[in-house]
Amino acid sequence: MAVEGVSWVPRLTRVLERVQHTADTVSLKLDLSLNHQPGQFVQVSVPGVGEIPLSVASFPGDRLMITFRRVGRVTAALYGLGVGDSIGVRGPFGRGFPLEGGDVLLVAGGMGLPPIRSALGSILRERDRFGTVQLLYGARRPSLLLYREEYDAWRRGDVVVSLIVDEAEDGWRGRVGVVTELFDELEVGSDATVLVCGPEIMMKFVGRGLLKMGFDPKRIYMSMERHMKCGVGLCGHCNIGPYYVCRDGPVFDFETLRNIPESGVI
Amino acid sequence: MIVGGRELLDGLVKVLMERWTVVAPREVEGNVVLAPLEDAGEIVLDRPLNSPKEYLLPQEEILFEYRDGGFKAPEPRGYAILGIRPCEFRALLMLKSVMGEDPLFLSRWNSSFFAVQACTEPCPSGFCGDLGGPEFSGIDPYRPLGAPDLQYYTLDGRVFVDALTERGKEVLGALRDLGEGATEEELERLRMRISEVWEDMKRVRVVGIEERARWDHPAYSYFAERCIQCGACNFECPSCFCFDIRDEDEGAWVRVREWDSCLLEGFSKMALGANPRKREEDRMRQRILHKFKYFKETTGFYMCTGCGRCLEACPSGIDLREVISWLWRE
Ligand SMILES: Cc1cc2nc3c(=O)[nH]c(=O)nc-3n(C[C@H](O)[C@H](O)[C@H](O)COP(=O)(O)OP(=O)(O)OC[C@H]3O[C@@H](n4cnc5c(N)ncnc54)[C@H](O)[C@@H]3O)c2cc1C
Ligand code: SF4
Ligand code: FES
């Protein structure tokens, strides 16, 4: 079954703000408030160019923010938009991260941070409901770390922020390596809920490492990425095993993914 | 059920033409194709070259247009579709189980009329034996999902028309004068013929194949080696539903969808070249597993109703019946 009451017509809105993060990555804030579940995505249209899935980076209820890297046709057109330009939105779609309390470990790699940021937003609003909250975030280089200006606020909100980069740059005094190396700084218990978003290869090693440390595969949630067109379980592009990533995911528990050879995380 | 001669069939088309554009098998330049009729007498009894899919999910269609500051979404109307075979009607039911939430498909489906032609002649490439057989009966395994309005049979120059829905009964009522009731003898001969065809179709068994379609089965790479990735099998398949979406910008913003094929490399390709199904065998596996395993496990039905159109279409001679027998053997 697809998503109920499918409509192909997007809501048209405007760009309110454009923030340049790196040479090829920007955030756009749109004139549209969205009640979503962190981890869900929207289908974003550039009129006349095309439509792509992007994670909701904003906090639930806030103005919609998307953060993306220029990698192809539609992202290039999106990158070229400025304040006041028209943009189309369908969604939110899919299943997001469960946020039920207790300790939470968030693990992000590179462009995987936007949906994790959204989850952090939810946690910070009801911080009392949660125990220890820790973010492990890795990027290729220090200058590619996203949302750098927000880390202090997250720390003030009692979130442990641990960073690592593949290659250091001038002035970097933090750690160098891959995100799993940060496991030696873990402050959450192995009964924590784990939210992961990043390249498949990273998620694979994160899953493997956490299982070794006794984490429950049913409480490790990973956000999958597949070629998407419709976003609502109709076009068939995002099929993995018996699931559609757009409708049954993008967030799946690791136990489920371990049984799908094609998931790429085993 | 009423029985008559050729005039009964023509009469049926005439009645339907009052309310619908009638799509049925007809001759066009020496080929039998499923196409709109201009005249009731054009309908023929042979199996057409094309499947009925395009009349519910066109190869290409507009999802919306944006012009003069507003969106316009089409509200397409369906056809009266005659002469499709039971396997194809079942495939359309599969299509509906996926596309039933799509506004355009639904709009067509809800305004369509279906008359199925049961198969009273041997079928060269079909294998519907395990998948309902050569007629859509009252106990058809697909019955819980829907039924055609009418079903007709042809035998010894006679046409037998039966109604399976209320709407079908209404139409049949209007044809009373063109036919008569069937005799016991005639019905018996018809039953015999259907069961002969059915027996023949049972040479390929499908039930239980999901247990054999392992992830690492050697069949995928064996058959993938011959696949030239033309996508013809997916296009001819009446239950393959996958589509692509793209924008056109010619004075107005127009979003279009068109059939896509899981056997093409671009189907699962992501930005910067990442592709979870890089090899041809990965894509062949996907086609087989989606049809015979994933879909079965999630809906209880195979995404294949044994019509055999894919093996007729394949320029490399890849025969789905052979693929299935590989899955059973190994
Ligand atoms: C659930 C989900 C959330 C995502 N969130 C983000 C995000 O927050 N930030 C970000 O930068 N990127 C994100 N992506 C990836 C983003 O969708 C692709 O970078 C984008 O589709 C590339 O489109 P393009 O036209 O620029 O590239 P092209 O290479 O020109 O792609 C052509 C078409 O293929 C499809 N496609 C290609 N790559 C992908 C892909 N990776 N995922 C899905 N469809 C693809 C799209 O339909 C696209 O229009 C997400 C993907 C998914 C599935
Ligand atoms: S019709 Fe044959 S050659 Fe073409 S994609 Fe299908 S299996 Fe491959
Ligand atoms: S994107 Fe179309 S089915 Fe998932």
Side-chain angles (χ1 to χ4, degrees), chain A residues 1-12 44-51 69-73 88 90 200 225-227 229-230 233-244 261-262, chain B residues 63-64 66 71-73 96-104 215 241-249 253-255 257 260 266-272 276-277 282 286 290 294-295 297-299:
Chain A
M1 274 294 146
V3 171
E4 228 166 280
V6 170
S7 168
W8 296 113
V9 176
R11 275 169 289 176
L12 270 193
V44 177
S45 287
V46 183
V49 179
E51 190 182 48
R69 202 173 145 212
R70 189 183 59 202
V71 291
R73 237 171 54 83
R90 288 190 302 134
E200 248 163 47
E225 186 172 339
R226 282 294 178 275
H227 183 117
K229 279 298 171 185
C230 70
L234 291 177
C235 77
H237 278 93
C238 68
N239 181 232
I240 50 165
Y243 306 106
Y244 287 114
E262 211 181 23
Chain B
L63 294 177
F64 65 74
Y66 183 82
F71 285 105
K72 228 179 73 206
K96 177 170 175 282
S97 74
V98 177
M99 296 297 293
E101 302 287 350
D102 177 81
L104 307 181
W215 174 263
F241 57 87
C242 291
F243 57 86
D244 191 23
I245 298 177
R246 67 179 152 76
D247 277 12
E248 280 169 5
D249 186 6
W253 170 22
V254 182
R255 183 158 290 164
R257 79 163 151 213
D260 205 346
F267 187 83
S268 48
K269 200 153 155 188
M270 294 190 279
L272 307 176
R277 295 189 205 119
D282 298 332
Q286 171 64 15
H290 193 208
Y294 307 151
F295 201 77
E297 287 172 355
T298 49
T299 69

Side-chain angles (χ1 to χ4, degrees), chain B residues 223-224 226-236 261-264 284 287 309-319:
Chain B
F223 290 99
R226 270 148 67 194
C227 174
I228 59 163
Q229 307 183 59
C230 61
C233 50
N234 301 111
F235 283 18
E236 295 309 320
S261 159
C262 59
L263 288 161
L264 308 185
M284 185 61 76
R287 172 165 171 249
R309 287 197 177 277
C310 57
L311 58 103
E312 288 168 0
C314 181
S316 296
I318 295 175
D319 186 333

Side-chain angles (χ1 to χ4, degrees), chain B residues 22-293:
Chain B
V22 175
V23 166
R26 61 176 284 202
E27 256 184 54
V28 178
E29 290 164 9
N31 290 315
V32 175
V33 291
L34 192 70
L37 300 185
E38 272 138 40
D39 189 80
E42 287 171 332
I43 187 169
V44 297
L45 298 171
D46 309 276
R47 181 166 164 275
L49 286 176
N50 51 330
S51 94
K53 175 164 73 177
E54 64 193 276
Y55 296 103
L56 286 142
L57 182 64
Q59 176 154 11
E60 185 172 309
E61 74 180 309
I62 290 174
L63 294 177
F64 65 74
E65 292 176 77
Y66 183 82
R67 45 177 105 237
D68 309 325
F71 285 105
K72 228 179 73 206
E75 287 172 38
R77 204 178 126 68
Y79 302 88
I81 307 178
L82 271 67
I84 60 172
R85 303 305 171 120
C87 56
E88 293 174 323
F89 183 75
R90 295 181 190 112
L92 294 183
L93 290 174
M94 296 294 89
L95 207 55
K96 177 170 175 282
S97 74
V98 177
M99 296 297 293
E101 302 287 350
D102 177 81
L104 307 181
F105 180 92
L106 203 60
S107 169
R108 282 196 194 87
W109 181 271
N110 288 338
S111 56
S112 295
F113 183 97
F114 297 100
V116 160
Q117 180 178 347
C119 301
T120 47
E121 297 293 332
C123 175
S125 40
F127 51 98
C128 63
D130 265 3
L131 303 163
E135 69 174 338
F136 199 94
S137 74
I139 54 159
D140 198 277
Y142 295 78
R143 187 70 189 79
L145 303 178
D149 297 293
L150 293 176
Q151 176 162 239
Y152 60 91
Y153 308 70
T154 59
L155 191 66
D156 306 333
R158 305 274 281 166
V159 183
F160 301 67
V161 189
D162 201 6
L164 284 82
T165 66
E166 281 308 313
R167 214 165 45 157
K169 279 186 193 133
E170 239 174 77
V171 171
L172 198 58
L175 299 173
R176 284 269 167 256
D177 295 344
L178 296 174
E180 57 213 12
T183 63
E184 250 329 295
E185 212 177 305
E186 279 175 317
L187 286 179
E188 184 52 28
R189 263 194 297 145
L190 196 57
R191 271 197 293 270
M192 286 287 294
R193 177 59 70 86
I194 291 289
S195 64
E196 277 164 31
V197 176
W198 200 331
E199 269 316 304
D200 191 42
M201 290 288 97
K202 284 181 182 161
R203 276 175 308 187
V204 180
R205 305 312 305 228
V206 175
V207 169
I209 199 74
E210 63 277 19
E211 303 297 332
R212 312 292 298 227
R214 308 191 310 268
W215 174 263
D216 57 356
H217 201 287
Y220 318 127
S221 62
Y222 176 79
F223 290 99
E225 216 152 278
R226 270 148 67 194
C227 174
I228 59 163
Q229 307 183 59
C230 61
C233 50
N234 301 111
F235 283 18
E236 295 309 320
C237 174
S239 65
C240 272
F241 57 87
C242 291
F243 57 86
D244 191 23
I245 298 177
R246 67 179 152 76
D247 277 12
E248 280 169 5
D249 186 6
E250 287 157 8
W253 170 22
V254 182
R255 183 158 290 164
V256 174
R257 79 163 151 213
E258 60 185 331
W259 296 347
D260 205 346
S261 159
C262 59
L263 288 161
L264 308 185
E265 193 185 356
F267 187 83
S268 48
K269 200 153 155 188
M270 294 190 279
L272 307 176
N275 192 347
R277 295 189 205 119
K278 265 202 181 60
R279 298 168 306 171
E280 285 170 21
E281 68 176 87
D282 298 332
R283 302 191 285 276
M284 185 61 76
R285 173 194 292 116
Q286 171 64 15
R287 172 165 171 249
I288 303 301
L289 294 190
H290 193 208
K291 286 195 171 296
F292 294 101
K293 192 175 177 74

